[in-house]
Amino acid sequence: MPSLNFTQLLALVAGIPAVSAFWRMECGVIQLGRVDPIINPGNVSGHVHIVASPNNFNISSNYDSLQSSLCTSCTVQVDKSAYWTPYMYYQKADGTFVDVPQGGVIVYYLGRGQGNATSFPPGFRMLSGNSSLRAYDNNAMTYGTAQEAPRPISDRVSFNCINYAKPAPETPAFPAVMNCPQGLRAQIQFQSCWDGVNLYKADQSHVAYLSRIDNGICPPTHPVLLPHLFYEVYYSIDQIDSSDGGKFVFASGDSTGYGYHGDFMNGWDPAVQANAVQNCLESSGSGQIDDCPILKANNDAQSGSNCPQQPALVDEKVTGSLSALPGCNTPSAGPGPAQMKVCPARLLVPNTITDGQTRQVPMPGTTTSNLASGSSATYKGCYVDGTNGRALSGSTFADDKNMTTQTCGAFCQSKGFNLFGTEYARECYCGNAITTANSTQSDCSMACSGDMLSYCGGPNRLSVWSISAASASSSSSTPTSTPSATSSPAAFGPTVSNATYLGCYTDSVSARTLTGYYNNNASQTLDTCAAAARANNLAYFGVEYGAECFAGNTIASSASSGSTACTMKCGGDSSGKTVCGGSNAISLFRNDAFASAANKASISVKSTSGTASYSYAGCYTDAAGRKRTLTDYFFSDPKMTVEMCANACFGRGYSFAGTEYANECYCGGAVKNGAVKGSDGMCGMRCVGDRKEYCGAGGRITVYQKTAAGKMRRSGRGVRVEGVSV
Ligand SMILES: *[C@@H]1O[C@H](CO)[C@@H](O)[C@H](O)[C@H]1NC(C)=O
Ligand SMILES: *[C@@H]1O[C@H](CO)[C@@H](O)[C@H](O)[C@H]1NC(C)=O
Ligand SMILES: *[C@@H]1O[C@H](CO)[C@@H](O)[C@H](O)[C@H]1NC(C)=O
Ligand SMILES: *[C@@H]1O[C@H](CO)[C@@H](O)[C@H](O)[C@H]1NC(C)=O
Ligand SMILES: *[C@@H]1O[C@H](CO)[C@@H](O)[C@H](O)[C@H]1NC(C)=O
Ligand SMILES: *[C@@H]1O[C@H](CO)[C@@H](O)[C@H](O)[C@H]1NC(C)=O
Ligand SMILES: *[C@@H]1O[C@H](CO)[C@@H](O)[C@H](O)[C@H]1NC(C)=O
Ligand SMILES: *[C@@H]1O[C@H](CO)[C@@H](O)[C@H](O)[C@H]1NC(C)=O
């Protein structure tokens, strides 16, 4: 058990500024349905949730059961915690409902408050927000003091109506006009102060909010500081046609947004969490999992596909067109609180559980599997294997560790067979016909040795699949017949100046093919997107869904070329002749004008006091918010360059200039506070004002030092008077 610590009192006296280190994890959805093991353990819950969690999440999940999962839908696989929030619907003017697509959950762990945070203990769970609320509450306040003003706890919930063309302020409820061209982002802050004793109390009195909710101090009753949890959930309300004047409503019946809430059930391995909290929350932390060694070592960027959504646990329809919200809550807009009701529904008992895991049960004639060859296989069923000789008597192999439907299928295809079957978790058999009896599905209930989330037969039972020929077809409206990355732009694909077409690539909301730049607008063309990639000096760009421009420096490994789904016309091309991707498919190009960034060896600066040159001195660590490396002057600028920073520092008489986090500049007379020089690659963020230069990173500063100066008049207010420390 963590002991109480009182360092926050000390910190308060010392007035230590807020720590801003953090990490963020992207999480796919594992379960969609009326399941909530905190509020309704062992039973159906009141409303539909989106759950990001380990694969074996169910109505009675707890810390111990989550530990026995095989994978989790969040990228960091050693975090077996569960995170959930309400699902969203659109109620049409005719009273019926349709579900709103969402983009999974982004979970932030932030180092906030005074002092070092204590890890969440095993068994800890909490809920932030209150599904009954339908109005802003001016009376319920956080703890505060004379120095540290309290804040209405209603501020824990906020919404961001995303419109890149016209950014709007965040609101504590749904925006008055739900017209958000890039979707609606719901955000919820959690309690970061714990009583140090109770792992859970139904009224949530085991936890309390920080005085400022996202920062500040803890009340004396809840002295243990926890990591600050914050969720972001994207609801794609822009994909819903709301022209009939209907309304958006959460699954709980909340049509205001005031009742938004989030649940957290800790599932972390204690040692890993303690390491991450200490090294990535308290000292530095750029937000990137890759900058946190213990998390990087356990990260699976493909968790969205490696740990996909699991079969429903509750027997009711929750997506598509519905006559009522699942459960029995009806939409209400307050302002009085709504009563939350829990109506029963039948729980589904997965028919083939053998090891406590839930798996997608394949359906004969319906379930397909993509083989590495590009062909696809369709499930035929569970069949009895022959007692006198094998039911599939062609080629065969076995693999105790790595058998999957895909490897067996590819093997049999390469041997010229059109049927294959997996058996006893580890065996693969090929053939062209099967004449033995089919068996009940539950007889084929052994997990594949190489894919714990799929079935590979059973004892004397084969999971049989038939291979369909590779699809060579390409629709006439696709730009090309899938050129390879090396094909010349003149010969294949659409032509864009100073760019090379690479093909139609797959894309997904949970794992973007390109990240770095995004713009979604109706006037998009291949040329506008190419121009954006050139302006930001990003190596690749592509257009998706007719309107969305993405650009970035790497193509995610989750993406594959050869998709045939690039069939949508570019919204901004009135001729209708160019293709701009499609649904989950991106028309991808290389930006040939891209120039990689570099640190200039030296730069010339000038001010009223003369000229000088500053030379590159290295990439140093910097402790955000606490002990800065360059301590004497700070500013940030949306056009930051190394030159802008060095000129500002020189003009103020400082011999060191450092850029950080793309847009920040720090000046000083010396490198201080034990900053350590690291590899140049750690300062990998490009300057916002010049994409060909590096400007540090999170917790890393690109440092230049004055090496030679021209004539320098020392005026009265020359050196070190304007210091504004941060
Ligand atoms: C949620 O709000 C309702 C209505 O104000 C209140 O009765 C209830 O106690 C609140 N629940 C919690 C856990 O705070
Ligand atoms: C807080 O954590 C940092 C980083 O691990 C450590 O250097 C510092 O000593 C800790 N402070 C306290 C008061 O424990
Ligand atoms: C589940 O809820 C239903 C309806 O509210 C109730 O009848 C049943 O007893 C509950 N079961 C458990 C295990 O709590
Ligand atoms: C929930 O999952 C755990 C772990 O897989 C399992 O032991 C338990 O039986 C499941 N409970 C229900 C009600 O499905
Ligand atoms: C398992 O098979 C896959 C696909 O053939 C291969 O990429 C991977 O390296 C294999 N893993 C092991 C441990 O053999
Ligand atoms: C065998 O397959 C047929 C047709 O798909 C199906 O109706 C039947 O139930 C299956 N037999 C068993 C034992 O599952
Ligand atoms: C393409 O590159 C050439 C050579 O650098 C340049 O002159 C031209 O303006 C570029 N075209 C566009 C559309 O950027
Ligand atoms: C549309 O997107 C392009 C490329 O991202 C951008 O350059 C352009 O300014 C956008 N147009 C509007 C009207 O937002």
Side-chain angles (χ1 to χ4, degrees), residues 42-43 342 344:
N43 219 330
V342 185

Side-chain angles (χ1 to χ4, degrees), residues 313-641:
L313 295 165
V314 180
D315 187 13
E316 69 187 355
K317 186 171 186 266
V318 298
T319 58
S321 185
L322 304 170
S323 58
L325 291 173
C328 48
N329 293 304
T330 48
S332 66
Q339 204 202 329
M340 291 290 99
K341 295 181 227 131
V342 185
C343 285
R346 200 168 71 98
L347 285 164
L348 291 169
V349 182
N351 65 347
T352 52
I353 286 192
T354 52
D355 55 3
Q357 306 295 339
T358 48
R359 293 188 181 84
Q360 193 79 50
V361 179
M363 302 282 290
T366 305
T367 305
T368 59
S369 175
N370 294 320
L371 307 180
S373 57
S375 300
S376 122
T378 304
Y379 187 61
K380 249 181 105 59
C382 180
Y383 284 77
V384 175
D385 200 2
T387 40
N388 295 314
R390 291 287 172 189
L392 293 172
S393 55
S395 307
T396 180
F397 81 104
D399 190 331
D400 281 338
K401 297 222 165 65
N402 206 12
M403 181 60 66
T404 66
T405 303
Q406 292 77 18
T407 49
C408 177
F411 169 80
C412 292
Q413 188 180 27
S414 73
K415 302 283 178 196
F417 296 96
N418 57 33
L419 284 185
F420 66 93
T422 49
E423 183 168 331
Y424 207 65
R426 56 181 291 280
E427 292 153 24
C428 173
Y429 298 94
C430 312
N432 285 320
I434 187 152
T435 53
T436 57
N438 63 334
S439 185
T440 59
Q441 198 46 52
S442 56
D443 284 349
C444 282
S445 61
M446 290 179 82
C448 305
S449 66
D451 176 5
M452 294 304 278
L453 293 173
S454 300
Y455 291 108
C456 280
N460 296 318
R461 292 293 183 280
L462 284 158
S463 293
V464 178
W465 299 76
S466 68
I467 303 169
S468 22
S471 61
S473 69
S474 80
S475 112
S476 57
S477 52
T478 50
T480 73
S481 51
T482 57
S484 71
T486 50
S487 54
S488 101
F492 297 99
T495 315
V496 176
S497 298
N498 299 337
T500 306
Y501 182 58
L502 301 180
C504 178
Y505 277 66
T506 58
D507 194 15
S508 75
V509 175
S510 58
R512 282 291 177 204
T513 300
L514 295 177
T515 54
Y517 176 88
Y518 175 75
N519 198 323
N520 176 356
N521 65 64
S523 53
Q524 200 71 257
T525 64
L526 296 174
D527 290 325
T528 57
C529 190
R534 283 194 297 270
N536 293 290
N537 192 36
L538 292 165
Y540 301 95
F541 65 92
V543 185
E544 181 162 339
Y545 214 70
E548 297 177 278
C549 169
F550 292 88
N553 279 326
T554 50
I555 300 172
S557 56
S558 53
S560 54
S561 62
S563 165
T564 54
C566 290
T567 57
M568 292 177 79
K569 293 173 179 152
C570 302
D573 177 6
S574 54
S575 79
K577 284 192 185 136
T578 49
V579 169
C580 279
S583 174
N584 291 328
I586 182 165
S587 298
L588 196 82
F589 294 79
R590 186 176 65 220
N591 169 19
D592 295 332
F594 169 75
S596 56
N599 292 309
K600 288 176 191 148
S602 112
I603 52 181
S604 305
V605 296
K606 128 175 133 188
S607 78
T608 50
S609 52
T611 59
S613 67
Y614 278 64
S615 297
Y616 178 64
C619 172
Y620 282 79
T621 56
D622 195 12
R626 290 184 185 173
K627 294 176 171 175
R628 285 284 176 197
T629 301
L630 299 178
T631 54
D632 298 340
Y633 184 76
F634 163 79
F635 71 104
S636 69
D637 193 289
K639 295 205 155 47
M640 184 61 67
T641 62

Side-chain angles (χ1 to χ4, degrees), residues 178-254:
M178 290 280 262
N179 179 8
C180 313
Q182 281 82 33
L184 180 73
R185 189 170 71 210
Q187 306 168 151
I188 180 135
Q189 315 263 1
F190 279 77
Q191 301 89 325
S192 299
C193 307
W194 180 39
D195 69 9
V197 179
N198 297 289
L199 296 173
Y200 184 70
K201 283 177 113 180
D203 63 359
Q204 310 302 317
S205 62
H206 61 312
V207 285
Y209 293 95
L210 285 166
S211 52
R212 273 174 273 150
I213 296 180
D214 64 354
N215 218 331
I217 58 171
C218 282
T221 48
H222 294 75
V224 181
L225 181 70
L226 298 167
H228 184 67
L229 261 186
F230 174 65
Y231 302 171
E232 285 179 351
V233 184
Y234 286 82
Y235 295 95
S236 300
I237 64 171
D238 52 309
Q239 289 180 28
I240 300 289
D241 176 5
S242 56
S243 57
D244 67 346
K247 58 176 184 263
F248 289 94
V249 56
F250 282 119
S252 50
D254 176 15

